Amino acid sequence: MNLVQRKIRDYVPIVGEDEVMNIIELASRVKGAKITHVNTTKNGGGVAEILKSLVPLTRSLGLRTKWEILDGGENFFSVTKKIHNALQGDHSIAITRKMEKIYLSVNNRSAKSLSLDSDVVVVHDPQPLPLIESKKSGKWIWRCHIDTSDPAPAVWRFLRKFVMKYDALVFSRENYIPRDVRGIKVFVRHPTIDPLSEKNRPMDHGEVLDILERFDIDPNRPIIGQVSRFDPWKNQLGVIDVYKKIRSRMPDLQLLLVGSFAGDDPEGKEWYRKTIAHASGCRDIHVLTNRDGVGDKEVNAFQRSFRVGLQLSIKEGFGLTVAEALWKGTPVVGTRAGGITLQVINGVTGFLVRDLREAADRVEQLLRMGWLARMLGRNGEEHVRRNFLITKDLRNYLRIHIELVKADLGSEI
Ligand code: UDP
């Protein structure tokens, strides 16, 4: 996999010399360690976004880091999306014997084809969870990125058998740790964004203008928007309802819904169709996807063009898109769902809302009070700088690697 080169010293102007020296020192303690990350897609969704930067950065620091993809195919991903939804709180979902069989057989097969011989193996999310059955050596971490605070009990019981075999678990929030996880190392770590990636790098206004014009969006009229996979949890339909409420009072307003189809998410097409149907008849709603040529650069420009960013998810493990918007000085109106509440500090970096009516009122307030939007946007950028940049994730991973492997490997690494 071709990954962009990254050097830790490039981050000095953003996070300071001390932070970078601290990371270099931590990395020197596990230099040469073999680390393997495993997930199910190299494109689409937050995990791929993080690994695209984390993997080259840890390599540049002297760790022998690999990124393996478990490619499961359509049946497998429709089972794992059900597991995902069940873990995020949909209690109506049950796993049948047939589903178990598909899930386990793909994992068994992949355990043989993937290269998992490492000092540390980091398995991301539930899809590759049963790979732990093939563990022969090293320390294994399960990095769960979704909100598992209220999982469907039977599905969790089935998965827990695998979870408990790991050496350590990492969740994005304290309350995501299932109550019956005991006797195992558990870390709570927030996901982060890379300020130097194509999606988050600085961009001048000329570049933003060019991109808006390319997609036929009027740069002279206000724009609000949400960037998310097409997925019921992301609530694109709710975003459209909010837009329609405001639009009756502010007819100039445009809505930009940017979405992608992640390789491991079979629900994407259906939710794209539903979104288009819900938006029908309104030419100021732009629904754009990776298939229209929206890549990282375009997402960067769009997030900069929003007067207000929206994230109206029903459940949200973390929501990197919130940090991405805030980093660009765009205030965010978000629901009180999971990781959004870590990033949107009510009245400071944006507004947290309980329902769509409140969302519409807050968005309208920010549209009418440009000074307030700018103030919250500036606070948001600072909040992300302090808490949600990739250097922090890197430091946390290095600390965990040291804790897990140093004792075992001694002077070998
Ligand atoms: N994303 C993108 N294009 C899109 C939609 C999403 O590049 O059309 C990216 C988004 O910018 C973010 C990631 O996919 O980096 C989504 O991560 P998040 O944590 O917000 O949600 P997830 O998809 O992992 O549930």
Side-chain angles (χ1 to χ4, degrees):
M1 195 179 307
N2 289 331
L3 294 172
V4 180
Q5 293 298 314
R6 288 268 179 274
K7 285 202 253 28
I8 190 66
R9 292 213 59 83
D10 296 341
Y11 294 79
V12 171
I14 303 166
V15 296
E17 182 74 27
D18 287 354
E19 173 74 347
V20 166
M21 290 312 291
N22 188 356
I23 289 170
I24 293 172
E25 194 277 321
L26 288 172
S28 72
R29 296 205 238 159
V30 274
K31 203 167 176 148
K34 282 206 248 170
I35 314 288
T36 301
H37 289 269
V38 190
N39 79 323
T40 45
T41 179
K42 61 175 189 295
N43 284 310
V47 178
E49 186 70 23
I50 293 167
L51 292 180
K52 273 187 223 167
S53 297
L54 192 69
V55 168
L57 257 176
T58 48
R59 278 184 193 156
S60 80
L61 285 161
L63 284 83
R64 290 180 286 164
T65 313
K66 282 185 301 176
W67 179 1
E68 294 280 344
I69 308 279
L70 181 155
D71 185 8
E74 208 175 313
N75 285 343
F76 175 76
F77 289 134
S78 84
V79 171
T80 55
K81 189 64 200 287
K82 288 206 171 72
I83 291 178
H84 173 105
N85 290 344
L87 285 182
Q88 287 227 122
D90 185 342
H91 288 213
S92 68
I93 293 174
I95 302 203
T96 61
R97 277 286 155 81
K98 190 171 164 210
M99 287 160 71
E100 276 184 31
K101 209 169 147 202
I102 295 171
Y103 180 55
L104 296 179
S105 67
V106 170
N107 268 283
N108 285 340
R109 207 172 54 230
S110 305
K112 295 188 187 97
S113 60
L114 299 176
S115 161
L116 301 173
D117 167 31
S118 287
D119 300 312
V120 179
V121 178
V122 188
V123 172
H124 294 265
D125 277 343
Q127 302 96 323
L129 179 68
L131 286 178
I132 186 73
E133 294 292 331
S134 66
K135 171 181 169 180
K136 292 193 186 68
S137 60
K139 301 285 181 182
W140 285 53
I141 300 172
W142 185 49
R143 183 20 171 144
C144 178
H145 294 264
I146 58 183
D147 176 347
T148 43
S149 53
D150 178 31
V155 176
W156 172 245
R157 258 196 313 280
F158 167 63
L159 296 177
R160 186 178 177 278
K161 301 194 285 279
F162 305 111
V163 172
M164 296 310 289
K165 292 185 178 168
Y166 279 78
D167 297 288
L169 310 176
V170 183
F171 293 91
S172 297
R173 289 188 76 193
E174 189 88 31
N175 70 321
Y176 294 175
I177 307 169
R179 269 183 295 266
D180 53 358
V181 165
R182 276 182 229 102
I184 186 167
K185 260 189 219 303
V186 180
F187 301 91
V188 175
R189 299 287 180 266
H190 308 317
T192 55
I193 62 164
D194 183 351
L196 297 181
S197 69
E198 188 62 13
K199 187 172 286 167
N200 300 310
R201 68 166 168 86
M203 194 176 249
D204 65 41
H205 77 279
E207 215 174 337
V208 177
L209 269 178
D210 284 349
I211 291 172
L212 290 178
E213 280 168 7
R214 176 146 64 87
F215 288 92
D216 220 13
I217 299 159
D218 185 350
N220 296 309
R221 290 193 284 137
I223 306 167
I224 58 171
Q226 177 168 302
V227 176
S228 295
R229 279 180 299 110
F230 290 103
D231 178 305
W233 301 106
K234 303 289 184 183
N235 199 11
Q236 274 97 349
L237 307 190
V239 173
I240 292 173
D241 291 341
V242 164
Y243 167 78
K244 286 180 177 166
K245 277 187 215 298
I246 309 168
R247 164 116 177 171
S248 60
R249 300 185 290 261
M250 300 181 91
D252 251 11
L253 190 63
Q254 304 171 90
L255 171 66
L256 188 42
L257 277 172
V258 182
S260 60
F261 301 95
D264 58 352
D265 184 358
E267 285 185 310
K269 284 192 203 114
E270 183 193 340
W271 280 92
Y272 173 70
R273 277 196 296 274
K274 287 191 175 158
T275 305
I276 294 283
H278 206 62
S280 73
C282 190
R283 70 185 165 78
D284 279 328
I285 301 181
H286 301 262
V287 182
L288 296 171
T289 79
N290 45 336
R291 292 181 188 161
D292 301 305
V294 176
D296 290 348
K297 185 166 78 176
E298 288 74 18
V299 170
N300 190 340
F302 292 150
Q303 287 170 327
R304 286 177 197 283
S305 77
F306 298 163
R307 295 264 187 99
V308 183
L310 286 152
Q311 195 63 50
L312 300 185
S313 312
I314 293 155
K315 285 263 180 165
E316 190 60 77
F318 182 72
L320 285 179
T321 48
V322 175
E324 289 165 3
L326 294 176
W327 177 242
K328 291 157 189 130
T330 301
V332 174
V333 170
T335 39
R336 294 169 191 270
I340 296 174
T341 59
L342 297 167
Q343 304 174 75
V344 177
I345 304 171
N346 200 25
V348 179
T349 67
F351 289 111
L352 287 171
V353 295
R354 284 192 183 79
D355 54 36
L356 299 184
R357 213 181 66 173
E358 199 184 349
D361 289 346
R362 286 308 196 181
V363 172
E364 189 174 341
Q365 182 184 14
L366 289 170
L367 287 169
R368 293 192 189 280
M369 298 183 184
W371 60 270
L372 179 61
R374 281 192 295 280
M375 215 163 145
L376 303 192
R378 273 196 299 273
N379 293 342
E381 183 183 342
E382 205 40 45
H383 184 47
V384 173
R385 187 190 311 280
R386 284 168 197 243
N387 299 294
F388 306 118
L389 291 186
I390 191 89
T391 39
K392 186 158 186 184
D393 222 359
L394 181 59
R395 180 154 48 86
N396 286 333
Y397 267 114
L398 289 170
R399 286 214 180 107
I400 294 175
H401 295 339
I402 292 167
E403 189 168 335
L404 289 179
V405 304
K406 189 72 177 148
D408 283 14
L409 301 176
S411 56
E412 277 177 46
I413 58 168

